[in-house]
């Protein structure tokens, strides 16, 4: 069975290694040590824990209610406004997301280069939430 280091688990969970370490220290996820002394998380344990973490995300955590499940928090890197439509680019870690939406939506959200935003992907559409 595959095991993951704390750093690998953190990347898969979308949190910092410090957060993953704190969760392990608190006993929220089971770890074991390899022959080199590194803490590892078993693949099945990490899979179960990732479902638990995903189900634990609630709007009171600062997240809006939404049906979109794939959220990419990042920074707005480009806003191109047309007469009716607009194009917004967000860099979310290694991911560049581009959304085509109405100019009115961009103006209502007040989207500008340099501000934080979250791209939410559902099917082939990218939804933008201002954070």
């Amino acid at each position: 069975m595959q095991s993951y280091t704390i750093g690998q688990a953190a990347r898969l969970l979308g949190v910092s290694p410090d957060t993953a370490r704190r969760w392990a220290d608190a006993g929220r996820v089971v770890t074991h040590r390899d022959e080199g002394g590194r803490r590892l998380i078993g693949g099945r344990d990490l899979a179960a824990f990732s479902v638990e973490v995903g189900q634990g995300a609630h709007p009171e955590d600062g997240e809006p209610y939404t049906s979109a499940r794939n959220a990419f928090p990042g920074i707005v890197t480009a806003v191109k406004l047309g007469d009716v439509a607009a194009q917004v680019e967000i860099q979310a870690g290694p991911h560049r997301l581009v959304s085509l939406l109405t100019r009115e939506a961009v103006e209502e959200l007040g989207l500008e280069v340099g501000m934080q935003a979250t791209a939410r992907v559902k099917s082939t559409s990218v939804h933008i939430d201002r954070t």
Side-chain angles (χ1 to χ4, degrees):
M1 173 177 57
Q2 183 166 355
S3 291
Y4 297 88
T5 65
I6 295 288
Q8 291 170 325
R11 276 190 297 283
L12 292 169
L13 293 168
V15 299
S16 72
D18 286 338
T19 297
R21 216 173 278 111
R22 281 192 298 272
W23 286 344
D25 291 344
R28 288 190 62 193
V29 63
V30 177
T31 62
H32 62 277
R33 298 218 180 247
D34 67 5
E35 10 350 291
R38 295 182 309 165
R39 281 200 299 184
L40 301 174
I41 302 170
R44 290 186 189 276
D45 292 330
L46 182 58
F49 183 66
S50 68
V51 170
E52 177 187 320
V53 168
Q55 292 173 344
H58 298 290
E60 57 266 18
D61 296 335
E63 290 293 319
Y65 282 106
T66 181
S67 64
R69 297 289 180 243
N70 302 313
F72 295 87
I75 188 167
V76 176
T77 57
V79 176
K80 298 174 187 163
L81 296 174
D83 291 337
V84 176
Q87 178 178 313
V88 176
E89 294 181 23
I90 293 178
Q91 191 68 36
H95 309 288
R96 176 180 165 262
L97 296 114
V98 179
S99 179
L100 301 175
L101 58 165
T102 65
R103 178 185 182 123
E104 180 182 12
V106 171
E107 290 171 347
E108 285 178 6
L109 290 170
L111 295 175
E112 297 176 352
V113 171
M115 73 183 319
Q116 292 182 34
T118 300
R120 295 192 186 274
V121 179
K122 182 171 182 178
S123 185
T124 57
S125 300
V126 177
H127 304 266
I128 304 294
D129 297 333
R130 181 175 174 179
T131 51

